[in-house]
Every structure is written in C-alpha cells, then in structure tokens.
Amino acid sequence: MKIEDAAQLTQSYFCLDCGVCTGSCPVSRVLPSFSPRLIVEKALLGLGEELLRDRDLWSCLTCSRCFERCPSSINFPEFMRLLREEALQRGTTPMLSHHGMLQTIMELQTQGIKENKTQWASEAGQIADRGDTFFFVGCMPYFQVIFADIGVDSLSVSSSIIKILNAGGITPVVSNDEHCCGHDMLWNGNVDVFKKLAAHNLEVIRASGARRVVFNCPEGYYTFKHHYQEFFGDLGFEVVHFYELVSQMLAEERLQLRENGAASITFHDPCRLGRMAKIYDAPREILSKLPGCHFVEMERNRENAVCCGTSGWANCGTGSKRIQAERLQEAAATGARTLVTACPKCQIHLNCALGNLDMDLEIKDLTILLAEAVG
C-alpha cells in the first residue's frame, strides 16, 4: 500500500504535531531517535522513501499507547503495520530475534507439513475431534521447546485450560492441524504468509463444526477478532477470550475455587488484551475471586500499562531490556512477590529480563493461578 493511502486510512493527515504520541511512547523514552511524531511528519512531507529504508520501523511495539491518547485518533500502530508491508516488499527487513526461528516455523506451516503436537492435550483431559467449542492452542507447543530454558512452561498453561474447561463441563476440540494465527507475520509486514495461515485455520475450524473458538493468547484472540474478519469477512463462529468465558463460568457457579495458600500479587495488562481488545475487567474479576490472594495494582495499569518491551520477534535490543527491567521494578514496588501475566509472550519476555536481574519476584500466568484454585 502506498504511504499516501496508509496515511489516509489511518487518519495520519489529521496530525496536530502535538507530540503526545512520542511523549507516550515507551520506545521513544529509551531510544530518543525513535519518534512516532517525526515518522508521521516525514510521511506527510513526502519523505516516505527514507522511512521505508529504516529498520526502526520494526522498533515500534505497536502497543497502541499513542493511539489511545492521540487527540486526532490517528491509528499509529496500523500505520506502522502498513509501512512495514510496503518496506518489506522493497527489501527492508527487521532484525529478527532468535535467529528468525519463529518466523521460519510460521513459514514452514504454510508448506503442507504434517504436525503431531497435541499428545499433551489428550493427557491433560477430555478433548474431542468435533464439537461446539474449539480451543485454539496457537504457538504454545513451539514456545515449550524454545523457551523452556528460561523457566517458561507454556504447555502447562494450555493443559490447565483444558482442565478448567472440563471442570466447567466443556470438552473442547483440539486439533493437530491448526497453524500459527499469523499475528507476527501480519505485523512484520508479510501479509502473504499471514493470509495463507489464516485461510488454513478457518478451514480447520469450520470443518470441526465449532460455533465458538476460545483463545488464551491475546494476540490470537485480537487477530481473529479484528484482522481475520477484515481480510475474510464473517467467520461463521464466535471468537471468545478464555478469561471472559471463565468469568461467566464463575458467575454461573460452574467453577468452584478453593484457597491454595495466601499470595500477594500484581497484574500486567498485555497490550493486545487491554488497549486493543479492551478486556481489562475479566482478569481482575478472576483475581478478585481467588481465595487467599491479595491483589494490588501497579502504578501504570489498564489503558496506561506499559508493554512487555518487544513484539513480533523482531528488533529486541537494549531498549527492550530497559523497558522490561523498568516494568519488573514497577511490579516489585507494589510489594507483591508474584507478577501475574495473561499473555504467553509477556511471560516469555519478562522472564527473559528477570533472569538478568537480582529481584525477589515470581512471574506466573493467570491460568496457572486459576488452575491451582480449581484443583
């Protein structure tokens, strides 16, 4: 898409040059050369060619903090996504994290390879091949292999979801055939791979007969809820976040919680779940009902929360580490000893940073905390 069209689509022509975006940007604070205001200004002044050669396009976290505060409602994250799409077509690429391993896995999934990645699911509880509720596992089996060495046990989260759904009387469909949702490819600018992954997932889900699809990953949820519908129209099934479903199950007393020891906890709002999907209350409702838990908010929470520091497995540098270290220090300042996350990637990124810090802090996924209370 041409820069002029991207500016039109995201309302960038309405920029007031006020600088609220740059003042709100966590990247600008640690990398002063990165400025959303200047990026928009360059685009409007016809300096797009310079922008499209700049790898810092991928330094933007697309966390939407700027969009949340912009007085002109300029959708800067979407503007960056469209610029990346154009830049990638012209040969500019991001600095890929983990040697591009995650992107390679995503591309391989479009090549018709057969995957066997759900043995853990049948060991976790009751699952089905067809049914009303499809549990979209996403990239968790891959995260389990790649990030186990930093203390992240991704499949325990997925296994806990199956146990909790079973406890609530739901037997979910879990499929070997689903692929990555395509979130990272889309936000890295590779729309062709995104569309291949998405089309395949839609075919698999529709063939299962599911009427609703449950996600625990905020990125998968937001991608299906927003971008799948943008690219493919009506999906033919409901898109549900796991924590909203759990809140409903708790309200209907379909789940019983028991005390599992006292704990002082705080909560990190993931960008895709909070600012982008506007799901702030469901995780807090669950936390408030966990017996024995004392919940305290971090200073920057809900729409003011700060990103976990990196996105799309790209451009993860010293700036990312500074953002993560500050977020962990903010969590510790609450007096809580457990930082609860609701996103597998937030847990990975914050755990990675915690490993280099001397802090008395544990990072735990909300689903694990919930599963311990369900028993």
Side-chain angles (χ1 to χ4, degrees):
M1 178 181 289
K2 292 181 179 178
I3 291 180
E4 295 80 6
D5 295 333
Q8 186 74 36
L9 191 65
T10 57
Q11 300 197 89
S12 298
Y13 283 118
F14 296 158
C15 179
L16 300 173
D17 203 23
C18 65
V20 166
C21 52
T22 299
S24 305
C25 177
V27 179
S28 297
R29 211 159 50 76
V30 296
L31 297 174
S33 61
F34 183 87
S35 166
R37 182 183 68 81
L38 286 179
I39 289 172
V40 171
E41 193 171 311
K42 283 183 178 180
L44 300 184
L45 289 174
L47 301 174
E49 293 299 324
E50 180 183 329
L51 283 178
L52 296 177
R53 292 193 298 270
D54 190 350
R55 276 188 151 183
D56 268 351
L57 284 178
W58 285 270
S59 293
C60 173
L61 301 170
T62 66
C63 70
S64 208
R65 211 159 182 246
C66 53
F67 184 29
E68 182 78 25
R69 298 177 175 184
C70 176
S72 299
S73 298
I74 296 170
N75 191 340
F76 186 76
E78 186 68 6
F79 184 56
M80 293 301 286
R81 188 183 73 75
L82 296 171
L83 290 189
R84 290 172 182 178
E85 183 182 333
E86 184 68 21
L88 200 66
Q89 287 180 0
R90 299 188 185 202
T92 307
T93 58
M95 184 69 73
L96 300 180
S97 309
H98 309 287
H99 308 288
M101 187 190 322
L102 279 305
Q103 285 85 355
T104 299
I105 290 171
M106 296 166 206
E107 294 208 34
L108 282 173
Q109 289 182 330
T110 68
Q111 304 302 313
I113 61 170
K114 287 288 184 184
E115 299 173 89
N116 183 8
K117 56 183 183 181
T118 58
Q119 183 179 344
W120 60 270
S122 55
E123 294 170 355
Q126 296 294 318
I127 61 171
D129 295 325
R130 291 181 57 80
D132 288 342
T133 302
F134 191 108
F135 169 35
F136 193 88
V137 178
C139 297
M140 301 293 261
Y142 295 104
F143 293 167
Q144 177 74 23
V145 176
I146 298 169
F147 299 109
D149 64 335
I150 60 170
V152 176
D153 185 1
S154 300
L155 281 185
S156 287
V157 177
S158 300
S159 297
S160 295
I161 289 170
I162 292 174
K163 290 174 184 173
I164 293 166
L165 291 175
N166 286 173
I170 298 170
T171 301
V173 176
V174 179
S175 174
N176 264 322
D177 297 325
E178 67 160 63
H179 289 341
C180 163
C181 70
H183 169 280
D184 295 330
M185 283 301 185
L186 181 68
W187 287 92
N188 281 347
N190 195 335
V191 177
D192 289 342
V193 172
F194 162 74
K195 288 166 76 174
K196 289 177 183 175
L197 292 168
H200 173 86
N201 285 328
L202 290 174
E203 184 180 334
V204 169
I205 292 168
R206 287 166 178 160
S208 75
R211 294 187 301 167
R212 66 178 174 183
V213 182
V214 176
F215 298 83
N216 74 299
C217 173
E219 292 185 348
Y221 171 80
Y222 182 76
T223 302
F224 268 72
K225 189 92 174 178
H226 184 73
H227 290 295
Y228 272 39
Q229 296 190 33
E230 176 188 339
F231 282 87
F232 296 93
D234 180 38
L235 304 183
F237 52 79
E238 184 184 6
V239 177
V240 180
H241 194 275
F242 176 64
Y243 295 137
E244 290 194 315
L245 179 60
V246 168
S247 289
Q248 181 185 343
M249 292 162 75
L250 288 171
E252 295 171 352
E253 299 185 346
R254 293 162 60 193
L255 285 178
Q256 303 299 321
L257 304 180
R258 61 177 174 78
E259 185 166 339
N260 190 42
S264 177
I265 58 177
T266 190
F267 179 68
H268 169 76
D269 288 277
C271 303
R272 271 19 179 197
L273 187 67
R275 273 186 295 272
M276 298 180 83
K278 305 300 181 191
I279 298 178
Y280 296 113
D281 292 334
R284 288 173 169 79
E285 287 170 5
I286 296 169
L287 289 170
S288 71
K289 291 179 179 175
L290 291 175
C293 279
H294 172 63
F295 172 53
V296 56
E297 290 276 16
M298 279 194 273
E299 182 177 349
R300 293 174 293 183
N301 59 71
R302 293 179 177 260
E303 67 272 15
N304 293 317
V306 179
C307 178
C308 67
T310 185
S311 178
W313 308 116
N315 284 30
C316 180
T318 55
S320 299
K321 297 306 169 197
R322 283 185 59 188
I323 293 170
Q324 291 157 3
E326 288 180 10
R327 191 59 170 161
L328 292 170
Q329 287 160 359
E330 187 178 343
T334 66
R337 289 295 167 262
T338 302
L339 171 60
V340 177
T341 66
C343 171
K345 285 187 181 173
C346 291
Q347 188 182 21
I348 291 167
H349 300 149
L350 293 173
N351 256 296
C352 180
L354 185 63
N356 295 315
L357 299 170
D358 183 18
M359 296 179 69
D360 182 18
L361 189 69
E362 176 189 30
I363 300 173
K364 209 164 188 174
D365 191 279
L366 175 55
T367 300
I368 297 294
L369 210 57
L370 179 64
E372 290 172 352
V374 169

